[in-house]
Amino acid sequence: MYKFLILLFLSATVFGQEVLKPTYSFSISGKVKKEAVMTMDSLSKIPLKEIGNIKVTNHLGEFKHQDEHLKGVLLKDVLRNITFNISSPKLMSQLYFICSGADGYKVVYSWNELYNTPVGSQVFILMEKNGIKAAQLPENIQMTSMMDFKTGRRYLHNLSKIEVKQAD
């Protein structure tokens, strides 16, 4: 009986681990005039920026790992050609962006955070990490906010969609 319980526990652990599902594109939908799909090819046409290194920390600020030689495109540059479906520029302050990974993990940015603070100049979709191009990484379309104190909270793997919403 004891051996059976150990086998049951081990099989639950193995089958309980989620396999990363690489994403090669993501959609932008919601409060937009026209939905868009960004691919690796379309991202490669956006100006690439040298980002440097990031120490990834958990919610307590404890060091988890370091990623080096990061290169990426600004989320603001990705959204540059998106027209928001709002009736007045005053309503931009009510917009927020839900960025979702293929595994369901979500991070949120407000319009003001991206366009009206220094944070927006440090939110990147990663195109290269540790000298490896994004398309070759198992968690290929990733994004991060370099200005966050607890960097792991908004370090998103396998970006699959960005939903633009409006606060009530």
Side-chain angles (χ1 to χ4, degrees), residues 1-14:
M1 181 65 165
Y2 181 70
K3 289 179 184 178
F4 174 75
L5 289 175
I6 290 174
L7 181 60
L8 183 64
F9 174 75
L10 289 175
S11 64
T13 302
V14 169

Side-chain angles (χ1 to χ4, degrees), residues 100-133:
S100 301
D103 62 355
Y105 189 77
K106 294 179 168 83
V107 298
V108 177
Y109 297 94
S110 72
W111 183 92
N112 273 315
E113 182 179 22
L114 290 179
Y115 294 95
N116 202 22
T117 74
V119 171
S121 296
Q122 294 295 313
V123 176
F124 290 96
I125 295 177
L126 302 179
M127 299 302 292
E128 191 172 318
K129 176 171 88 169
N130 300 324
I132 303 170
K133 301 278 186 203

Side-chain angles (χ1 to χ4, degrees), residues 10-87:
L10 289 175
S11 64
T13 302
V14 169
F15 291 113
Q17 292 178 352
E18 188 169 336
V19 176
L20 292 174
K21 295 178 181 121
T23 53
Y24 298 98
S25 65
F26 62 90
S27 61
I28 303 171
S29 61
K31 293 291 286 184
V32 297
K33 296 258 182 182
K34 183 179 177 190
E35 291 189 13
V37 174
M38 299 299 296
T39 64
M40 290 292 209
D41 187 48
S42 58
L43 289 170
S44 70
K45 294 177 178 147
I46 298 171
L48 190 65
K49 302 200 185 297
E50 298 270 344
I51 305 170
N53 304 333
I54 187 171
K55 290 182 179 181
V56 179
T57 60
N58 67 13
H59 65 286
L60 299 172
E62 299 167 336
F63 178 80
K64 299 312 271 179
H65 69 276
Q66 181 161 317
D67 288 334
E68 298 179 336
H69 311 294
L70 297 174
K71 295 179 183 177
V73 297
L74 282 172
L75 178 56
K76 287 192 307 187
D77 289 345
V78 171
L79 297 171
R80 178 165 283 144
N81 295 320
I82 301 296
T83 304
F84 302 117
N85 192 10
I86 53 176
S87 60

